[in-house]
Each structure stands twice: as structure tokens, then as C-alpha cells.
Amino acid sequence: MNRLTANSLMVLTAVIWGVGFVAQKVAADHIGPTTFIAARLFLGALVVLPVAVLHWRARQAAVSLKDWAMMAMTGLIMCGASITQQLGVAETTVANTGFLTGLYVPLVPLIELIILRKKPHPIIWPAAALSVLGTTLMSGGGELAFGWGDAQIIVSSVFWAAHIIMVGYCSNRTGLPTVLAVVQYLVCATICSLWAAAFEPAIAAGLVAAWKEIAFIGVLEVGLAYTLQAVVQRHTGAADAAILLSSEVLFTMLSGMIFLGERMSLTQVVGGLAILAAMLAVQLGPLLSPGRFLERVVRRFKGSTAGIL
């Protein structure tokens, strides 16, 4: 899979996440947040499980205990991100949530640089700034009044950044992205179901009331989109993935307009354009860099002279 295809599929993942937010919003009226997370992840695991089993058998190689532990750790990080984000959303504004969640975009290359000593392409930094700006504008662009809920959202953004890095690492290390997907879903779903049993009443009634939304999110968002993320991150960088996935907020707004009759303000339109600019920068920046340009010129020159000689 080439880089263009990988990045295009990452944008498709963001599209599915954005559309899925409509179903999440409707389901929130009927079911507790961790109950919903657990139900959709268990369903997603069931959808991906047959593919994961076939993938594992076709690989014909043993998975080490360390690999299983790393995949389980990815699920724990996913769980930490989901729960802290959900708790924070209940105690802060939409504008703050959008801005602070968007911090995972610059956090991914920063963590890779500090901990993994991995230098991203220079275009990543301005693209990350554009992405955060766009997310802020699309979520309202209001003033940031810091509180306990905001602190929880910041923690969740750190978890999401770590999750993106871990997905790429485990997927490349094991060569089994579908198995990684199932393991992380089951770990996160198990923890969330225990949390729901302890703190959320009327679980059965909520599951019955929101079964359509659970089915939609479980099959498309979890079964397809999250698994697609694990597969595609074998072929694209974590920093690139973070910026491309941040376009989820743009597709959330667009799906809200289409399905819920919501409208975008001029500020939100500007924010959407900023996110689109960040996506194009990530996709086209490396291709238009002087080094890559000279490399293509030299390659073509060698090809033409080889034909003459």
C-alpha cells in the first residue's frame, strides 16, 4: 500500500467517525456512556474476529507474550482515553472539548520526538498548528475557562496521542493489525462494562432503546473504521495519522448539517478550511519538498539517458 492510498483510507476513517457521532448523539438520550462504549466495542470485536482468526492462521507465526502484552496495553490506553474524555465532556463546554481534544495532534509528533527520538517531516508542525486552530474554530472558538472537566479532556488527549502511536507500533511489530483491533476492543469493552455495572443504572433498558445506534457504531465505526486505522497505520506515520484523523470534527459538522439540520457559522467554515489545509499539507508537503523534487528529476534524467545509451 503506497502512502497516498494509506492517507486516503485514513481520511475515510475520519469520515466514518464523523458520521458516527450523529448516532452517538442520538444514543446518549437512552444509554449511559460507558455502557454504550462497551456494547459497541464488543460488537465490533465480533465483526472483526473471523477476519483476525484467518489473518493469524495465514501468518503462520507465533505471537510472543510481549506482543500480546503490547496489544493489551493499547486497549488499556484506548479505555483511558474514552473514559476520561466522556467524563470531561460532562463538565466542560463544547468549545473547550474541541480545542483540548485537538491537542493530541501536536502531542503525537512531540511524544515521538522526545521519547522515541523520531523526527517528523518539517511540514508536520505547521500542519498540526493549523489542525488545532481549525478544531478550535469549528467547536466555537470561545474563550478557554479552565476547570476540572478541562483537565480530564487534556488527560484524554494525552491518551489519544499515545493510542495513535501504540497502534502504529503494535501493528508494524506484529504484522497482525486485525488481531490488534480485536484485542484492544475486548480489553477496553471489558473495563467499560465493569465501570457501567458499578455506576450506570438501567443498563438493559438502555441497550434495548439504543440497539440501532449500537449496531451502526459497532459495525461501521468500530468494526470498520478503528480496524482500518490499525491496518493503515502500518503504511503511514503516526504524526500524519493524527492530523488526518483530526478531520473527524469537520465530518461531524457536515453530518450534523445533513442528518440533524444543524448549520455552520462563518467561524466554523474558516475552521473547516484550516483543517482541510492541514490535511493537504500533510499529503502534498513531502511530495513537494526540494529533496523529493530533485530525486524525481534525477530519476527521470537517468531513465532518459539509459534509453539513449
Side-chain angles (χ1 to χ4, degrees):
M1 185 186 298
N2 60 39
R3 185 175 172 278
L4 176 60
T5 302
N7 285 357
S8 299
L9 290 175
M10 196 64 74
V11 173
L12 175 60
T13 299
V15 172
I16 296 172
W17 287 356
V19 175
F21 185 78
V22 175
Q24 292 181 45
K25 191 171 183 179
V26 174
D29 296 330
H30 307 290
I31 192 170
T34 53
T35 301
F36 186 57
I37 293 171
R40 74 193 194 193
L41 288 175
F42 275 130
L43 178 57
L46 288 175
V47 170
V48 182
L49 184 60
V51 179
V53 171
L54 291 175
H55 193 185
W56 188 13
R57 289 179 177 176
R59 186 170 179 266
Q60 295 183 341
V63 179
S64 69
L65 183 60
K66 182 178 180 180
D67 290 336
W68 288 116
M70 295 298 286
M71 288 190 282
M73 179 63 70
T74 304
L76 287 173
I77 294 172
M78 183 185 197
C79 187
S82 301
I83 292 178
T84 52
Q85 184 181 52
Q86 194 62 49
L87 292 175
V89 166
E91 298 186 39
T92 189
T93 63
V94 173
N96 287 15
T97 300
F99 170 71
L100 295 172
T101 300
L103 291 178
Y104 78 81
V105 177
L107 280 174
V108 169
L110 191 61
I111 292 173
E112 286 194 313
L113 180 62
I114 294 174
I115 298 179
L116 303 179
R117 305 297 182 187
K118 183 178 179 181
K119 293 183 179 180
H121 189 280
I123 197 65
I124 289 297
W125 301 111
L130 265 178
S131 177
V132 174
L133 173 63
T135 302
T136 305
L137 293 176
M138 292 203 72
S139 55
E143 295 183 1
L144 185 64
F146 196 82
W148 174 239
D150 303 297
Q152 291 173 304
I153 295 295
I154 290 175
V155 172
S156 78
S157 70
V158 175
F159 274 123
W160 284 125
H163 180 258
I164 290 173
I165 293 172
M166 285 294 293
V167 166
Y169 174 79
C170 290
S171 184
N172 281 295
R173 176 183 169 87
T174 63
L176 293 169
T178 53
V179 175
L180 165 64
V182 171
V183 171
Q184 70 168 346
Y185 299 161
L186 291 177
V187 170
C188 184
T190 300
I191 296 173
C192 285
S193 62
L194 294 174
W195 182 287
F199 299 106
E200 293 179 5
I203 291 178
L207 292 174
V208 172
W211 74 268
K212 292 180 181 179
E213 290 76 22
I214 292 171
F216 179 84
I217 296 294
V219 173
L220 286 182
E221 185 174 297
V222 178
L224 177 59
Y226 272 113
T227 305
L228 196 59
Q229 178 198 359
V231 172
V232 171
Q233 274 200 240
R234 294 188 65 195
H235 308 279
T236 189
D240 291 36
I243 293 173
L244 295 172
L245 291 175
S246 72
S247 64
E248 173 193 4
V249 65
L250 171 61
F251 298 115
T252 296
M253 289 290 185
L254 291 176
S255 61
M257 291 174 62
I258 295 171
F259 299 109
L260 301 179
E262 297 177 349
R263 292 293 177 264
M264 291 176 65
S265 67
L266 179 59
T267 299
Q268 291 172 323
V269 171
V270 173
L273 292 175
I275 292 174
L276 286 175
M279 293 166 59
L280 289 173
V282 167
Q283 184 60 51
L284 300 177
L287 300 177
L288 300 177
S289 62
R292 291 292 298 274
F293 177 76
L294 290 174
E295 180 184 336
R296 291 197 300 271
V297 170
V298 171
R299 191 185 305 120
R300 290 185 179 181
F301 176 76
K302 287 182 177 179
S304 61
T305 55
I308 295 174
L309 297 176

